Amino acid sequence: MMSSRGKTKLDVASILETSSHTLKVARAKVNHEEINDAKLSRENDSTTLTVQSIPAILTRLESDVNELRTKGAEQLALLVEATPDGEPAQVLGEFLREAGAIDLLVQLLADDVPAIVRYTLITLGNLCSDFIDSQAQESKELLLEAGGLDAIVRCLGSTDFAVVLYACACLQNLCSAEKYSDAAVRAGAAKSLERVVRAMESAMQLKELDVGECAKQPPHVQ
């Protein structure tokens, strides 16, 4: 998962910090099955994926077949996730930038298949992490030029919990400097995050209310 490599700076205003905390709490409460399919499968052998695998992966991402696009998105997310921080991540990031992968990934954020959007957000989140790649700013610039920030903000309105979760994490990594934080606010991130926070808090309150009401019910005696 994109937060497993270390802490990332949070600068989109206090609302992003609030939403991040709320999502973490909600994530701890949500039923495992609801987000299980959004997690990268550790049964996959990531050692078979290398930089040389990228052309074939990008070809899958451009396919009209949902299954092929999904597989490509999963493989790329797994490859980026498994690549060691530092120089290996820099080499991979540079390769992906030169291959035009950022533009393609931004397009995939509008895909009709939720799993593809989840994997894409994971990949972009890692590519935009200064902790992982010291040259991540170059990926951020390409992402902004391709309209990626607006696409990520739109993901905050998804009905898929995991998509919203990874969109918040992606914004967190992207907004490591005031320039990107300001751009996120202009793109409507603050308002969208406020809606996310309100929705999550309301859902959590309803869940707690349901549990409380059930506890008040006398046992059924036949």
PDB file of all heavy atoms in Angstrom, residues 63-88:
ATOM      1  N   SER A  63      -5.462  -1.413 -23.880  1.00  0.00           N
ATOM      2  CA  SER A  63      -6.381  -2.374 -24.479  1.00  0.00           C
ATOM      3  C   SER A  63      -7.840  -1.961 -24.277  1.00  0.00           C
ATOM      4  O   SER A  63      -8.191  -1.279 -23.309  1.00  0.00           O
ATOM      5  CB  SER A  63      -6.153  -3.761 -23.872  1.00  0.00           C
ATOM      6  OG  SER A  63      -7.137  -4.674 -24.312  1.00  0.00           O
ATOM      7  N   ASP A  64      -8.689  -2.400 -25.193  1.00  0.00           N
ATOM      8  CA  ASP A  64     -10.134  -2.179 -25.056  1.00  0.00           C
ATOM      9  C   ASP A  64     -10.782  -3.261 -24.201  1.00  0.00           C
ATOM     10  O   ASP A  64     -11.972  -3.171 -23.873  1.00  0.00           O
ATOM     11  CB  ASP A  64     -10.802  -2.173 -26.440  1.00  0.00           C
ATOM     12  CG  ASP A  64     -10.389  -0.957 -27.266  1.00  0.00           C
ATOM     13  OD1 ASP A  64     -10.102   0.094 -26.676  1.00  0.00           O
ATOM     14  OD2 ASP A  64     -10.360  -1.086 -28.513  1.00  0.00           O
ATOM     15  N   VAL A  65     -10.011  -4.275 -23.858  1.00  0.00           N
ATOM     16  CA  VAL A  65     -10.516  -5.395 -23.058  1.00  0.00           C
ATOM     17  C   VAL A  65     -10.321  -5.081 -21.571  1.00  0.00           C
ATOM     18  O   VAL A  65      -9.195  -4.852 -21.123  1.00  0.00           O
ATOM     19  CB  VAL A  65      -9.791  -6.705 -23.422  1.00  0.00           C
ATOM     20  CG1 VAL A  65     -10.348  -7.862 -22.593  1.00  0.00           C
ATOM     21  CG2 VAL A  65      -9.931  -6.985 -24.916  1.00  0.00           C
ATOM     22  N   ASN A  66     -11.412  -5.066 -20.834  1.00  0.00           N
ATOM     23  CA  ASN A  66     -11.351  -4.706 -19.411  1.00  0.00           C
ATOM     24  C   ASN A  66     -10.368  -5.562 -18.630  1.00  0.00           C
ATOM     25  O   ASN A  66      -9.613  -5.056 -17.786  1.00  0.00           O
ATOM     26  CB  ASN A  66     -12.737  -4.817 -18.778  1.00  0.00           C
ATOM     27  CG  ASN A  66     -13.689  -3.736 -19.254  1.00  0.00           C
ATOM     28  OD1 ASN A  66     -13.276  -2.775 -19.903  1.00  0.00           O
ATOM     29  ND2 ASN A  66     -14.973  -3.895 -18.944  1.00  0.00           N
ATOM     30  N   GLU A  67     -10.386  -6.861 -18.882  1.00  0.00           N
ATOM     31  CA  GLU A  67      -9.532  -7.767 -18.135  1.00  0.00           C
ATOM     32  C   GLU A  67      -8.051  -7.464 -18.371  1.00  0.00           C
ATOM     33  O   GLU A  67      -7.241  -7.525 -17.434  1.00  0.00           O
ATOM     34  CB  GLU A  67      -9.825  -9.234 -18.516  1.00  0.00           C
ATOM     35  CG  GLU A  67     -11.161  -9.759 -18.028  1.00  0.00           C
ATOM     36  CD  GLU A  67     -12.335  -9.229 -18.858  1.00  0.00           C
ATOM     37  OE1 GLU A  67     -12.089  -8.607 -19.920  1.00  0.00           O
ATOM     38  OE2 GLU A  67     -13.494  -9.446 -18.444  1.00  0.00           O
ATOM     39  N   LEU A  68      -7.705  -7.130 -19.603  1.00  0.00           N
ATOM     40  CA  LEU A  68      -6.310  -6.811 -19.911  1.00  0.00           C
ATOM     41  C   LEU A  68      -5.887  -5.497 -19.267  1.00  0.00           C
ATOM     42  O   LEU A  68      -4.775  -5.380 -18.737  1.00  0.00           O
ATOM     43  CB  LEU A  68      -6.099  -6.748 -21.428  1.00  0.00           C
ATOM     44  CG  LEU A  68      -6.156  -8.082 -22.177  1.00  0.00           C
ATOM     45  CD1 LEU A  68      -5.976  -7.864 -23.678  1.00  0.00           C
ATOM     46  CD2 LEU A  68      -5.079  -9.031 -21.656  1.00  0.00           C
ATOM     47  N   ARG A  69      -6.752  -4.488 -19.305  1.00  0.00           N
ATOM     48  CA  ARG A  69      -6.432  -3.215 -18.662  1.00  0.00           C
ATOM     49  C   ARG A  69      -6.284  -3.390 -17.159  1.00  0.00           C
ATOM     50  O   ARG A  69      -5.375  -2.830 -16.544  1.00  0.00           O
ATOM     51  CB  ARG A  69      -7.515  -2.166 -18.948  1.00  0.00           C
ATOM     52  CG  ARG A  69      -7.522  -1.640 -20.360  1.00  0.00           C
ATOM     53  CD  ARG A  69      -8.214  -0.274 -20.458  1.00  0.00           C
ATOM     54  NE  ARG A  69      -9.462  -0.198 -19.732  1.00  0.00           N
ATOM     55  CZ  ARG A  69     -10.617  -0.732 -20.122  1.00  0.00           C
ATOM     56  NH1 ARG A  69     -10.661  -1.433 -21.253  1.00  0.00           N
ATOM     57  NH2 ARG A  69     -11.713  -0.600 -19.413  1.00  0.00           N
ATOM     58  N   THR A  70      -7.166  -4.179 -16.576  1.00  0.00           N
ATOM     59  CA  THR A  70      -7.101  -4.423 -15.136  1.00  0.00           C
ATOM     60  C   THR A  70      -5.801  -5.122 -14.765  1.00  0.00           C
ATOM     61  O   THR A  70      -5.141  -4.762 -13.781  1.00  0.00           O
ATOM     62  CB  THR A  70      -8.297  -5.282 -14.672  1.00  0.00           C
ATOM     63  OG1 THR A  70      -9.519  -4.630 -15.018  1.00  0.00           O
ATOM     64  CG2 THR A  70      -8.251  -5.499 -13.161  1.00  0.00           C
ATOM     65  N   LYS A  71      -5.428  -6.128 -15.549  1.00  0.00           N
ATOM     66  CA  LYS A  71      -4.186  -6.849 -15.280  1.00  0.00           C
ATOM     67  C   LYS A  71      -2.983  -5.921 -15.421  1.00  0.00           C
ATOM     68  O   LYS A  71      -2.060  -5.944 -14.588  1.00  0.00           O
ATOM     69  CB  LYS A  71      -4.041  -8.024 -16.254  1.00  0.00           C
ATOM     70  CG  LYS A  71      -2.853  -8.929 -15.955  1.00  0.00           C
ATOM     71  CD  LYS A  71      -2.982  -9.568 -14.583  1.00  0.00           C
ATOM     72  CE  LYS A  71      -1.832 -10.525 -14.297  1.00  0.00           C
ATOM     73  NZ  LYS A  71      -1.944 -11.122 -12.947  1.00  0.00           N
ATOM     74  N   GLY A  72      -2.982  -5.088 -16.453  1.00  0.00           N
ATOM     75  CA  GLY A  72      -1.881  -4.157 -16.649  1.00  0.00           C
ATOM     76  C   GLY A  72      -1.772  -3.164 -15.508  1.00  0.00           C
ATOM     77  O   GLY A  72      -0.676  -2.865 -15.030  1.00  0.00           O
ATOM     78  N   ALA A  73      -2.919  -2.639 -15.054  1.00  0.00           N
ATOM     79  CA  ALA A  73      -2.924  -1.681 -13.948  1.00  0.00           C
ATOM     80  C   ALA A  73      -2.409  -2.328 -12.668  1.00  0.00           C
ATOM     81  O   ALA A  73      -1.652  -1.724 -11.906  1.00  0.00           O
ATOM     82  CB  ALA A  73      -4.336  -1.139 -13.736  1.00  0.00           C
ATOM     83  N   GLU A  74      -2.817  -3.566 -12.439  1.00  0.00           N
ATOM     84  CA  GLU A  74      -2.361  -4.287 -11.246  1.00  0.00           C
ATOM     85  C   GLU A  74      -0.860  -4.544 -11.313  1.00  0.00           C
ATOM     86  O   GLU A  74      -0.134  -4.351 -10.325  1.00  0.00           O
ATOM     87  CB  GLU A  74      -3.111  -5.616 -11.113  1.00  0.00           C
ATOM     88  CG  GLU A  74      -2.683  -6.432  -9.902  1.00  0.00           C
ATOM     89  CD  GLU A  74      -3.380  -7.776  -9.835  1.00  0.00           C
ATOM     90  OE1 GLU A  74      -3.954  -8.202 -10.851  1.00  0.00           O
ATOM     91  OE2 GLU A  74      -3.322  -8.405  -8.767  1.00  0.00           O
ATOM     92  N   GLN A  75      -0.374  -4.982 -12.476  1.00  0.00           N
ATOM     93  CA  GLN A  75       1.040  -5.281 -12.621  1.00  0.00           C
ATOM     94  C   GLN A  75       1.903  -4.040 -12.432  1.00  0.00           C
ATOM     95  O   GLN A  75       2.953  -4.096 -11.789  1.00  0.00           O
ATOM     96  CB  GLN A  75       1.307  -5.912 -13.991  1.00  0.00           C
ATOM     97  CG  GLN A  75       0.794  -7.339 -14.122  1.00  0.00           C
ATOM     98  CD  GLN A  75       1.056  -7.907 -15.506  1.00  0.00           C
ATOM     99  OE1 GLN A  75       1.038  -7.192 -16.505  1.00  0.00           O
ATOM    100  NE2 GLN A  75       1.294  -9.211 -15.567  1.00  0.00           N
ATOM    101  N   LEU A  76       1.467  -2.919 -12.994  1.00  0.00           N
ATOM    102  CA  LEU A  76       2.252  -1.696 -12.854  1.00  0.00           C
ATOM    103  C   LEU A  76       2.264  -1.226 -11.399  1.00  0.00           C
ATOM    104  O   LEU A  76       3.313  -0.811 -10.882  1.00  0.00           O
ATOM    105  CB  LEU A  76       1.684  -0.594 -13.750  1.00  0.00           C
ATOM    106  CG  LEU A  76       2.503   0.703 -13.795  1.00  0.00           C
ATOM    107  CD1 LEU A  76       3.936   0.419 -14.222  1.00  0.00           C
ATOM    108  CD2 LEU A  76       1.862   1.700 -14.736  1.00  0.00           C
ATOM    109  N   ALA A  77       1.135  -1.303 -10.731  1.00  0.00           N
ATOM    110  CA  ALA A  77       1.078  -0.923  -9.320  1.00  0.00           C
ATOM    111  C   ALA A  77       1.995  -1.808  -8.490  1.00  0.00           C
ATOM    112  O   ALA A  77       2.707  -1.332  -7.594  1.00  0.00           O
ATOM    113  CB  ALA A  77      -0.361  -1.022  -8.810  1.00  0.00           C
ATOM    114  N   LEU A  78       1.989  -3.096  -8.790  1.00  0.00           N
ATOM    115  CA  LEU A  78       2.824  -4.044  -8.063  1.00  0.00           C
ATOM    116  C   LEU A  78       4.308  -3.792  -8.334  1.00  0.00           C
ATOM    117  O   LEU A  78       5.138  -3.841  -7.420  1.00  0.00           O
ATOM    118  CB  LEU A  78       2.451  -5.473  -8.466  1.00  0.00           C
ATOM    119  CG  LEU A  78       3.139  -6.606  -7.690  1.00  0.00           C
ATOM    120  CD1 LEU A  78       2.785  -6.518  -6.216  1.00  0.00           C
ATOM    121  CD2 LEU A  78       2.741  -7.957  -8.249  1.00  0.00           C
ATOM    122  N   LEU A  79       4.646  -3.490  -9.592  1.00  0.00           N
ATOM    123  CA  LEU A  79       6.036  -3.231  -9.956  1.00  0.00           C
ATOM    124  C   LEU A  79       6.561  -1.989  -9.235  1.00  0.00           C
ATOM    125  O   LEU A  79       7.663  -2.008  -8.656  1.00  0.00           O
ATOM    126  CB  LEU A  79       6.151  -3.045 -11.468  1.00  0.00           C
ATOM    127  CG  LEU A  79       7.528  -2.610 -12.002  1.00  0.00           C
ATOM    128  CD1 LEU A  79       8.592  -3.626 -11.630  1.00  0.00           C
ATOM    129  CD2 LEU A  79       7.471  -2.426 -13.517  1.00  0.00           C
ATOM    130  N   VAL A  80       5.784  -0.907  -9.271  1.00  0.00           N
ATOM    131  CA  VAL A  80       6.200   0.330  -8.609  1.00  0.00           C
ATOM    132  C   VAL A  80       6.309   0.122  -7.102  1.00  0.00           C
ATOM    133  O   VAL A  80       7.239   0.595  -6.446  1.00  0.00           O
ATOM    134  CB  VAL A  80       5.217   1.471  -8.932  1.00  0.00           C
ATOM    135  CG1 VAL A  80       5.551   2.721  -8.129  1.00  0.00           C
ATOM    136  CG2 VAL A  80       5.257   1.784 -10.422  1.00  0.00           C
ATOM    137  N   GLU A  81       5.364  -0.613  -6.543  1.00  0.00           N
ATOM    138  CA  GLU A  81       5.357  -0.881  -5.108  1.00  0.00           C
ATOM    139  C   GLU A  81       6.562  -1.716  -4.683  1.00  0.00           C
ATOM    140  O   GLU A  81       7.144  -1.491  -3.620  1.00  0.00           O
ATOM    141  CB  GLU A  81       4.059  -1.614  -4.735  1.00  0.00           C
ATOM    142  CG  GLU A  81       3.996  -2.119  -3.299  1.00  0.00           C
ATOM    143  CD  GLU A  81       3.785  -1.011  -2.289  1.00  0.00           C
ATOM    144  OE1 GLU A  81       3.508   0.116  -2.710  1.00  0.00           O
ATOM    145  OE2 GLU A  81       3.902  -1.286  -1.081  1.00  0.00           O
ATOM    146  N   ALA A  82       6.952  -2.673  -5.508  1.00  0.00           N
ATOM    147  CA  ALA A  82       8.025  -3.594  -5.141  1.00  0.00           C
ATOM    148  C   ALA A  82       9.420  -3.027  -5.406  1.00  0.00           C
ATOM    149  O   ALA A  82      10.411  -3.575  -4.909  1.00  0.00           O
ATOM    150  CB  ALA A  82       7.855  -4.907  -5.918  1.00  0.00           C
ATOM    151  N   THR A  83       9.517  -1.956  -6.175  1.00  0.00           N
ATOM    152  CA  THR A  83      10.819  -1.380  -6.501  1.00  0.00           C
ATOM    153  C   THR A  83      11.401  -0.674  -5.282  1.00  0.00           C
ATOM    154  O   THR A  83      10.733   0.159  -4.664  1.00  0.00           O
ATOM    155  CB  THR A  83      10.689  -0.363  -7.658  1.00  0.00           C
ATOM    156  OG1 THR A  83      10.165  -1.041  -8.805  1.00  0.00           O
ATOM    157  CG2 THR A  83      12.047   0.233  -8.010  1.00  0.00           C
ATOM    158  N   PRO A  84      12.653  -0.992  -4.905  1.00  0.00           N
ATOM    159  CA  PRO A  84      13.276  -0.355  -3.732  1.00  0.00           C
ATOM    160  C   PRO A  84      13.354   1.158  -3.888  1.00  0.00           C
ATOM    161  O   PRO A  84      13.482   1.680  -4.997  1.00  0.00           O
ATOM    162  CB  PRO A  84      14.680  -0.983  -3.699  1.00  0.00           C
ATOM    163  CG  PRO A  84      14.533  -2.281  -4.432  1.00  0.00           C
ATOM    164  CD  PRO A  84      13.526  -2.010  -5.513  1.00  0.00           C
ATOM    165  N   ASP A  85      13.272   1.857  -2.754  1.00  0.00           N
ATOM    166  CA  ASP A  85      13.384   3.310  -2.775  1.00  0.00           C
ATOM    167  C   ASP A  85      14.792   3.722  -3.207  1.00  0.00           C
ATOM    168  O   ASP A  85      15.721   2.927  -3.197  1.00  0.00           O
ATOM    169  CB  ASP A  85      13.099   3.881  -1.373  1.00  0.00           C
ATOM    170  CG  ASP A  85      11.728   3.465  -0.860  1.00  0.00           C
ATOM    171  OD1 ASP A  85      10.860   3.181  -1.693  1.00  0.00           O
ATOM    172  OD2 ASP A  85      11.552   3.427   0.373  1.00  0.00           O
ATOM    173  N   GLY A  86      14.927   4.983  -3.551  1.00  0.00           N
ATOM    174  CA  GLY A  86      16.249   5.480  -3.927  1.00  0.00           C
ATOM    175  C   GLY A  86      16.500   5.359  -5.417  1.00  0.00           C
ATOM    176  O   GLY A  86      15.610   5.586  -6.241  1.00  0.00           O
ATOM    177  N   GLU A  87      17.713   4.958  -5.773  1.00  0.00           N
ATOM    178  CA  GLU A  87      18.104   4.914  -7.182  1.00  0.00           C
ATOM    179  C   GLU A  87      17.227   4.007  -8.029  1.00  0.00           C
ATOM    180  O   GLU A  87      16.842   4.403  -9.150  1.00  0.00           O
ATOM    181  CB  GLU A  87      19.570   4.494  -7.307  1.00  0.00           C
ATOM    182  CG  GLU A  87      20.083   4.558  -8.742  1.00  0.00           C
ATOM    183  CD  GLU A  87      21.572   4.267  -8.839  1.00  0.00           C
ATOM    184  OE1 GLU A  87      22.217   4.113  -7.790  1.00  0.00           O
ATOM    185  OE2 GLU A  87      22.079   4.184  -9.979  1.00  0.00           O
ATOM    186  N   PRO A  88      16.872   2.787  -7.576  1.00  0.00           N
ATOM    187  CA  PRO A  88      15.994   1.946  -8.394  1.00  0.00           C
ATOM    188  C   PRO A  88      14.658   2.630  -8.700  1.00  0.00           C
ATOM    189  O   PRO A  88      14.159   2.559  -9.830  1.00  0.00           O
ATOM    190  CB  PRO A  88      15.793   0.697  -7.532  1.00  0.00           C
ATOM    191  CG  PRO A  88      17.021   0.628  -6.697  1.00  0.00           C
ATOM    192  CD  PRO A  88      17.328   2.063  -6.363  1.00  0.00           C
TER     193      PRO A  88
END
